[in-house]
Amino acid sequence: MKPKYYITTPIYYVNGAPHIGHAYTTIACDVMARFKRLDGYDVFFLTGTDEHGQKVEKAAGDAGMDPQSFTDGTSALFRSLTERLKISNDDFIRTTEARHKASCQALWQTLAANNQIYLGGYEGWYAVRDEAFYDEGELTTRPDGTKVAPSGAPVEWVVEPSYFFRLSEWGDKLLEFYEQNPDFIAPASRRNEVISFVKSGLRDLSVSRTSFTWGVKVPDDEAHVMYVWLDALTNYITAAGYPDAGAERWGFWPADLHVVGKDILRFHAIYWPAFLMAAKLPTPKRVYAHGWWTAGGEKMSKSLGNVIDPQELADTFGLDSLRYFLLREVPFGNDGTFSRKALISRLNTELANDLGNLAQRSLSLIARNCDGRLPGDDLATAEDADLLGAANALVEGVRARMERQAFGDALEEIWKVIRAANAYIDHQAPWALKKTDINRMRCVLRVLVDVLRIVATLLQPFMPDKMAAMLDQLGVPTTMRQIADLEHRLAEGVALPAPQGVFPRFVEDAE
Ligand code: ME8
């Protein structure tokens, strides 16, 4: 039986249309999910939309719509972006679905039965934009006297009856949990932030609201809707079949990886494991908090009018180039500034020149000089062995980096081999060998095909369409494109299709 792997994106608020930030997280998860499938895992990959709460209710009101029709519309935008980005998710969850409401209520009842919830009253600060409660000490006062959350979101003073979750009782257990699971929070710098926050002391968490109605009803107390974060986090177990422990999908829980933006790490690394421990459910294995993309150094926002549309970028530059760029340009975990110039430069240098040309040069020589058939490698030299050795070692090297979600590093490892292969072809000059030693020429070309095959196989998760085209050109049967298949040699003499460039250079229109 294949080992299981469960990966999730955050579920996105449907208060507006998706932008590059949402696409980034989803693409990173898609790359990870595809890599695990390629490496022999049975993967369950979840994404979806977070549709309840005050923020979404307000956005619906501003649009003059009832919340359900409004969320039906905006959720569809996220779903269609997921499809247009060719994301390989296995499920798309909406928190307004019946399965999810039932799951939230079951979790609530379990927490209540375990004496983890009590009725009280909340009096304090709340930021609707973040859907988060803040302590006075976390806020800063602006020159005009208004207070804002660390995220910059305005806060309001809320006084209302509320149920509370006994979060204050979980501080020590959480610290112990982080200690015993050093890889639970990544990257490491974020882990330290979380630990010091927990060490500073946790207060009980308000988990219901009474001042609006757009949410999952609290069981047996219809005046309350659940706090949107309790509702939202529960999506990860809903999709795995909770509360049906006999559900086939329950075999995927606990999740192997929740990928989130750094803005929502606290919810995933503190509240979520605390809720689960309190419900006596297994905790997820890892939460990775990636950084933020800014536009020209500024946070993207609708009001600033600097929101970058992933669809437009995919249409202009090609989906796979966009995927490659997003994961290559900025180390996962760091912030980055989006730049079209940087995207074009990587596309033309690394994709068109380094990889595309290498394949095109090698394959055209085979088409012209080897009758279009895959040659053998009977005249191999030490240089061939060096290059092939480096390419073969990529499997382990890339796997180890993917395990840490070091996507940029994994790509850099692959590019080291691509650059070495370019140096090799220049040095071996198979076009000149044609006249002097045709058998050696055949061997050199075969080495290049073998190296390209390894590279293209490992790059499939990053650029699925382009690498499918490249593997077609290399004559790799579709049944032989898994990592495990790299152990099997391609048969000599196989006819290759006529070579066609996979990565055209991007030429900007003259103004
Ligand atoms: O927080 N750069 O939803 P959300 C990088 N519903 N990533 C970005 C980004 C940017 N500029 N902007 C957004 C929520 N993201 C909750 C989550 S999960 C149980 C509930 C990505 O619509 C990043 O992954 O505000 C961030 O965490 C997520 O979108 C926030 O999406």
Side-chain angles (χ1 to χ4, degrees), residues 85-268:
L85 296 178
K86 299 191 187 169
I87 300 301
S88 65
N89 54 303
D90 300 291
D91 196 353
F92 185 100
I93 191 165
R94 299 184 57 188
T95 54
T96 46
E97 288 173 74
R99 61 169 170 163
H100 180 65
K101 292 180 190 163
S103 163
C104 288
Q105 292 181 332
L107 180 64
W108 182 286
Q109 274 158 337
T110 306
L111 291 172
N114 293 352
N115 189 27
Q116 295 293 325
I117 287 181
Y118 63 91
L119 184 60
Y122 181 75
E123 193 168 346
W125 296 106
Y126 192 78
V128 175
R129 198 170 90 191
D130 299 346
E131 296 283 17
F133 301 95
Y134 289 105
D135 285 344
E136 181 79 40
E138 293 179 276
L139 306 179
T140 41
T141 307
R142 289 240 168 105
D144 65 2
T146 55
K147 289 183 189 286
V148 290
S151 61
V155 290
E156 58 190 46
W157 186 254
V158 171
V159 182
E160 63 186 20
S162 171
Y163 284 94
F164 283 83
F165 168 70
R166 296 188 196 280
L167 183 64
S168 62
E169 293 179 5
W170 290 94
D172 289 343
K173 299 246 173 35
L174 283 168
L175 291 171
E176 203 178 297
F177 172 68
Y178 305 143
E179 181 85 30
Q180 284 167 0
N181 299 279
D183 295 327
F184 175 65
I185 302 166
S189 53
R190 300 267 167 234
R191 180 171 187 264
N192 301 335
E193 273 174 26
V194 170
I195 291 178
S196 51
F197 184 81
V198 174
K199 278 193 176 152
S200 73
L202 297 174
R203 295 221 249 156
D204 286 351
L205 178 69
S206 166
V207 285
S208 76
R209 304 287 313 269
T210 42
S211 49
F212 63 94
T213 54
W214 182 238
V216 181
K217 298 254 177 293
V218 165
D220 307 321
D221 194 346
E222 298 251 315
H224 293 249
V225 291
M226 289 183 203
Y227 172 39
V228 66
W229 270 101
L230 173 58
D231 160 352
L233 289 161
T234 304
N235 93 87
Y236 302 130
I237 52 175
T238 304
Y242 184 80
D244 178 6
E248 202 185 313
R249 282 216 184 137
W250 191 245
F252 282 102
W253 189 258
D256 292 271
L257 182 62
H258 294 312
V259 177
V260 300
K262 63 180 184 179
D263 51 321
I264 57 172
L265 178 60
R266 187 187 291 187
F267 304 94
H268 285 82

Side-chain angles (χ1 to χ4, degrees), residues 10-13 19 21-22 24-25 50 55 229 232-233 235-236 260-264 268 290-293 300:
I11 47 170
Y12 303 109
Y13 285 128
H19 61 64
H22 307 117
Y24 178 55
T25 316
D50 186 357
K55 167 151 106 170
W229 270 101
L233 289 161
N235 93 87
Y236 302 130
V260 300
K262 63 180 184 179
D263 51 321
I264 57 172
H268 285 82
H290 67 65
W292 274 62
W293 284 98
M300 270 177 254

Side-chain angles (χ1 to χ4, degrees), residues 405-433:
Q405 290 76 52
F407 300 111
D409 287 357
L411 289 169
E412 177 53 23
E413 286 305 292
I414 298 174
W415 251 259
K416 277 186 199 154
V417 170
I418 294 173
R419 288 192 292 263
N422 274 302
Y424 171 89
I425 193 173
D426 288 343
H427 184 67
Q428 300 289 329
W431 45 89
L433 286 170

Side-chain angles (χ1 to χ4, degrees), residues 323-364:
R323 290 168 64 100
Y324 173 80
F325 173 75
L326 290 176
L327 294 182
R328 173 73 190 219
E329 179 73 1
V330 176
F332 206 52
N334 292 13
D335 293 338
T337 299
F338 188 85
S339 140
R340 290 171 89 90
K341 215 169 134 208
L343 196 166
I344 294 168
S345 156
R346 288 210 183 259
L347 200 176
N348 284 342
T349 318
E350 290 161 11
L351 298 180
N353 284 359
D354 295 351
L355 178 56
N357 273 355
L358 176 69
Q360 187 61 11
R361 282 161 99 193
S362 310
L363 291 167
S364 337

